[in-house]
Amino acid sequence: MVVGPSGSGKTATVMHALRGLGPDVPVLRVQRIWSRRPHARFLGDTDRSDLTVVPSGADRNAATGFFESVLENLGGTIPRVVFVDDAGALTEERLSWLQHLADEAFALDCRLVVAAEELAPGALPDELDVLRLGPLGAPELRHFLTDALGLALAADVVERITWWSEGNPRLALELAQDLSVAQLRGGALWHGPDAAGSAAARTYRHVLGKIDESGAGLLASFVLRQPGSSLGEEPWDGVAGLGDDPSLGRLADLGLAELRGETWFLRHPLVAVLCAERNGAGIPVPTAERKSEAMLRGLHMQELNPVLRAGPLSVDCPKNRALAFTMSVLTGQTWGIPRAGSAAAVGCREWSDHVWWRASAGPDEPVRAAAARLTAAALAVEAEGAVHDPDQLHADLDTVGETSGQHWLGLHLQTRMRLMLGDVSGARALVAAHVDDDARDAAEQVARSLSAAMVAAVEGQFHDVRRHLDAVRRLRPGCDGWLVLRGLTALADAAIDGRVPDVGVPDVLGNWSPRAAAEFAADVGAAHLLLGRAREAVSLLAVSTEQCRWPYQCPVMVRADLVDAAVSAGDLQAIPAAGGAGASECGVLSADLRAATTRGAALLAEGDRALVAFEDAVRASTPPASIRQHVRTLVAYGRFRAARGDAGVAVAAFDRARTLAQLAGLAGWTRGIDTAQTASGGAVASNRWEGLRRDERTMVRLALKGATNSKIAESVFVSERTVVNRLRQVYHRLGIRDRRDLIRLAEECPPRWAAAEV
């Protein structure tokens, strides 16, 4: 017997098991067993037959009559399995009758399988095996709904559907089918159902008859007590303060309510909705302030965008004013950024506390003053692209960062500001210190994942970037159109898979800020540079440096990448004159900032100073600097040494960079390193070909014509080992690795003596 509420998958579970028996085992499926005209059919048949026997618990011979009717109506075929589907709620009398049927079936070498909604209480027969189907969890329900709807659902929407349906697949599907695509993907607000559907009425029809009037009223109040605009904004929150109402005990006995500590929780929330409908209870209407906050915190951007098109968002509430600002920074849009410049920065004191803390009453006055300066600095970066006092900014970040009670929208802003100052280690420590903090809504969860992704991108931990971005997409599929996600995705895909990025800006409704567009260009430019596509990287990185003076990657690091790409492409005119934010302005000379600064200086150094500068750059890029800075410096160093004709040193630098990328599992990065080495090797080879001795040239000509080492040895009258050793020396001097590289190099840059007769 398989037991579970209507819609829990009893029939699907049994049918899946029965199909595993194979087509040669006759299985009879019986439906409407308790009706006046039950019917049955063998699995695989299209025709069904009515059964003339009406089961009756008062007639013990009814079971015998049942099988006689089966044989008479179905051509005499004796089934091996009888599946009684949808037997409903089994009373003691009905269970006894089914037991007689099972005994009769056993005598005919047949087995009985029953799907029922519930069993009568009491002792069960020893020979009865019961499988109880429990509710599905959110991950399983997500897969079920994704397959059924063909649509990626937002993670928190799946959690709400799971709560409302109590994990029942049929109820979950009914709830999901009533939602719009925007609601399913999290782009529009959905708290819960306004009414219970037909599947809920059927599933709980047996339970509703057992609930008295006081219990129904109490259940309805459970749902309506939830905060929010509909039948519960946060339905997983319990209800406290109900006292010792005797109805609670009766509801608990029915499995509809559960006491945990001093708080009561609903077990089957749709029963409460049914009770509310039966009692004619109304649904509370949210205030405009509450609805605005719900849209912002839920990242319901498709619902928010029409509001923005109609006019400025109503953010008179200080909490919503702060929320609009932090959300604008998070999404990369400008609708929540004041346009009053310095005047807005002065007036931010009244809502500044809400930018950083959940409750504004906690911090003392000096900390609140530091927070106000920090908010004003963030406003200046977004509205004007300016940081007036980097040292003060860093000091205020330290002050606010040490306080308790912070939320993740403020922590995201702090992470971004530390990164733009070049304080990578400080940003990493901030994220690590708060990674286990509670993220109470969709906006905070996205802010937490994006903060970790940005730190990982700066450090070159691209597998972590992909993991954090996947978490954002699971929660909010609509976030995929944000510029910050597009840029970080392009960078991670290039490093891991070698995928060439698409530079197109997404055509979605949104007023992207210059800072967000410039950061997108910097990420995509870095992706091209990583793949060895220097010319494509130059234009994007140049646009980034022109449009944004303080990107999250730190302006010094972006400029170093621009110099790297311009030198590699031979386009030094693309490098802007020294300006913008320098290393001294960034306030903190972290290891990554020092590595980027010394790499940029080495690339622009001339004469004998260049060699010393590059050796300093390689030393500065080693740990504790990140892998991203070290690999970029090694590749630049390899190109520099190859251009000087130091092929052996160049090859060693390229090999070290390649090994680091391989150890990090970044196959795409190794392709970019190979591209840089091939380009450098061809330039060097044209000069190095002439440096080969006459006997070495003869061996090279023979090797290029396909001669084996033994044939070469016979032609030049030396041993085969001598040929191997001399060719190895040739490879080293040309900056290549083997004969395949020799052939490729000769095709790209043939020596003038290659066609001479041997």
Side-chain angles (χ1 to χ4, degrees):
M1 185 170 292
V2 180
V3 180
S6 174
S8 58
K10 300 184 298 296
T11 300
T13 301
V14 175
M15 295 294 286
H16 178 75
L18 293 178
R19 290 191 183 99
L21 297 176
D24 298 331
V25 178
V27 177
L28 184 70
R29 181 182 179 187
V30 182
Q31 295 175 284
R32 302 186 64 191
I33 186 69
W34 309 119
S35 71
R36 288 191 172 275
R37 297 191 63 83
H39 55 264
R41 72 178 65 175
F42 282 103
L43 295 190
D45 290 350
T46 56
D47 297 330
R48 73 183 185 184
S49 299
D50 291 335
L51 302 179
T52 59
V53 174
V54 178
S56 171
D59 184 0
R60 287 180 172 273
N61 296 322
T64 303
F66 179 88
F67 278 101
E68 289 176 354
S69 179
V70 168
L71 296 177
E72 178 182 345
N73 286 275
L74 300 175
T77 303
I78 299 177
R80 295 297 305 280
V81 178
V82 174
F83 170 31
V84 178
D85 194 9
D86 197 14
L90 295 183
T91 62
E92 186 176 350
E93 183 183 37
R94 288 181 173 183
L95 182 59
S96 176
W97 190 91
L98 288 172
Q99 182 62 45
H100 296 321
L101 186 62
D103 292 341
E104 185 69 20
F106 188 77
L108 296 173
D109 196 22
C110 178
R111 297 295 181 268
L112 186 68
V113 179
V114 179
E117 291 188 21
E118 60 179 84
L119 283 172
L124 300 177
D126 293 338
E127 59 270 27
L128 178 61
D129 293 327
V130 178
L131 170 64
R132 295 187 183 274
L133 296 184
L136 295 182
E140 295 80 10
L141 205 56
R142 181 189 187 92
H143 290 305
F144 169 74
L145 293 174
T146 299
D147 292 340
L149 301 173
L151 183 71
L153 277 67
D156 63 329
V157 175
V158 174
E159 289 179 3
R160 292 181 186 277
I161 291 176
T162 303
W163 187 85
W164 283 106
S165 66
E166 185 60 18
N168 184 306
R170 181 179 295 176
L171 297 180
L173 186 58
E174 183 180 54
L175 290 170
Q177 287 174 335
D178 287 340
L179 302 181
S180 67
V181 173
Q183 287 173 323
L184 289 170
R185 290 171 61 85
L189 191 63
W190 181 72
H191 294 308
D194 294 328
S198 58
R202 179 181 178 185
T203 299
Y204 296 115
R205 65 184 183 275
H206 303 296
V207 177
L208 286 174
K210 303 175 184 179
I211 304 174
D212 58 25
E213 185 176 348
S214 62
L218 192 57
L219 279 175
S221 73
F222 265 42
V223 178
L224 299 177
R225 282 171 181 259
Q226 301 296 328
S229 63
S230 186
L231 296 179
E233 182 181 32
E234 298 179 3
W236 37 83
D237 284 349
V239 181
L242 292 181
D244 298 325
D245 192 320
S247 297
L248 291 171
R250 293 193 293 271
L251 293 175
D253 291 339
L254 292 174
L256 300 176
E258 180 182 4
L259 181 63
R260 305 176 199 166
E262 297 181 356
T263 303
W264 284 93
F265 289 83
L266 283 175
R267 290 289 305 279
H268 296 274
L270 285 177
V271 175
V273 179
L274 288 166
C275 291
E277 289 180 345
R278 190 170 71 181
N279 294 352
I283 298 172
V285 178
T287 63
E289 176 185 312
R290 179 67 174 174
K291 190 170 183 179
S292 297
E293 181 181 355
M295 285 192 294
L296 289 167
R297 291 194 178 279
L299 291 176
H300 304 308
M301 304 308 294
Q302 285 184 262
E303 191 170 12
L304 184 63
N305 284 331
V307 177
L308 298 176
R309 286 199 299 269
L313 182 68
S314 176
V315 289
D316 295 335
C317 168
K319 182 187 295 185
N320 278 2
R321 181 67 194 84
L323 186 58
F325 171 63
T326 53
M327 285 298 303
S328 296
V329 176
L330 180 69
T331 61
Q333 300 185 54
T334 60
W335 46 265
I337 308 297
R339 300 184 182 277
S342 58
V346 173
C348 72
R349 181 64 184 264
E350 64 183 43
W351 51 268
S352 171
D353 291 355
H354 297 286
V355 172
W356 314 105
W357 300 291
R358 298 191 189 282
S360 59
D364 55 22
E365 184 54 35
V367 176
R368 294 184 66 195
R373 289 193 298 270
L374 204 56
T375 303
L379 273 170
V381 172
E382 288 297 308
E384 306 168 17
V387 173
H388 302 293
D389 191 344
D391 292 332
Q392 181 64 60
L393 175 58
H394 198 274
D396 290 336
L397 284 168
D398 287 341
T399 300
V400 173
E402 294 174 355
T403 61
S404 59
Q406 300 180 69
H407 55 71
W408 261 106
L409 290 173
L411 290 168
H412 170 77
L413 196 52
Q414 291 180 62
T415 302
R416 171 181 292 279
M417 296 174 82
R418 285 187 179 275
L419 287 174
M420 76 183 194
L421 290 176
D423 185 11
V424 182
S425 57
R428 185 197 319 120
L430 182 69
V431 172
H434 295 274
V435 69
D436 295 325
D437 287 5
D438 183 24
R440 299 186 179 179
D441 47 52
E444 284 198 51
Q445 292 178 52
V446 167
R448 177 171 60 188
S449 294
L450 275 183
S451 299
M454 289 191 301
V455 174
V458 171
E459 295 187 319
Q461 306 295 332
F462 296 112
H463 285 285
D464 287 342
V465 173
R466 178 174 285 180
R467 176 168 57 86
H468 293 304
L469 296 184
D470 286 345
V472 172
R473 292 188 178 96
R474 283 194 301 273
L475 180 63
R476 279 289 175 272
C479 293
D480 219 12
W482 295 1
L483 289 184
V484 61
L485 256 76
R486 297 260 304 193
L488 287 168
T489 298
L491 190 52
D493 287 348
I496 298 172
D497 304 319
R499 191 179 307 168
V500 176
D502 176 11
V503 299
V505 175
D507 184 18
V508 299
L509 181 65
N511 184 15
W512 306 113
S513 68
R515 186 266 307 161
E519 288 180 346
F520 173 75
D523 280 337
V524 177
H528 281 294
L529 180 61
L530 182 148
L531 293 173
R533 297 165 56 86
R535 292 193 179 278
E536 292 82 355
V538 168
S539 58
L540 286 162
L541 292 169
V543 167
S544 177
T545 56
E546 292 169 0
Q547 297 296 315
C548 181
R549 196 161 172 261
W550 292 97
Y552 83 85
Q553 304 94 323
C554 177
V556 174
M557 296 181 190
V558 176
R559 179 180 171 82
D561 281 352
L562 172 58
V563 171
D564 200 340
V567 171
S568 179
D571 186 13
L572 297 182
Q573 292 183 346
I575 303 174
S584 59
E585 284 187 78
C586 288
V588 176
L589 285 177
S590 65
D592 285 79
L593 192 62
R594 286 195 298 271
T597 302
T598 54
R599 171 164 58 101
L603 284 163
L604 295 177
E606 298 178 354
D608 294 337
R609 293 189 299 107
L611 180 59
V612 176
F614 260 112
E615 290 174 347
D616 290 342
V618 171
R619 283 192 296 271
S621 69
T622 57
S626 66
I627 185 176
R628 180 174 175 177
Q629 294 300 326
H630 194 34
V631 172
R632 284 253 50 89
T633 302
L634 286 173
V635 172
Y637 182 56
R639 292 199 315 264
F640 166 73
R641 295 303 293 256
R644 286 172 55 96
D646 303 327
V649 180
V651 170
F654 286 127
D655 285 346
R656 284 163 58 194
R658 186 180 298 104
T659 299
L660 283 171
Q662 289 171 341
L663 289 174
L666 302 174
W669 209 345
T670 63
R671 296 175 194 174
I673 296 168
D674 290 342
T675 299
Q677 182 170 358
T678 300
S680 298
V684 171
S686 59
N687 295 324
R688 300 304 292 173
W689 287 124
E690 304 304 321
L692 300 182
R693 300 191 304 271
R694 179 177 299 179
D695 59 333
E696 291 172 335
R697 294 183 184 184
T698 301
M699 291 183 184
V700 168
R701 281 197 295 265
L702 291 169
L704 293 176
K705 291 181 178 181
T708 63
N709 289 341
S710 60
K711 289 292 185 182
I712 296 174
E714 291 177 8
S715 300
V716 297
F717 307 106
V718 295
S719 68
E720 187 174 346
R721 172 162 294 282
T722 300
V723 172
V724 171
N725 289 336
R726 290 186 181 177
L727 285 178
R728 184 178 294 129
Q729 293 172 2
V730 168
Y731 299 154
H732 180 73
R733 289 161 65 186
L734 291 175
I736 58 179
R737 290 170 292 185
D738 51 31
R739 187 176 292 201
R740 286 177 298 182
D741 287 349
L742 180 70
I743 295 171
R744 184 170 62 250
L745 186 59
E747 291 173 350
E748 296 173 353
C749 183
R752 59 180 180 81
W753 42 260
E757 293 295 330
V758 179

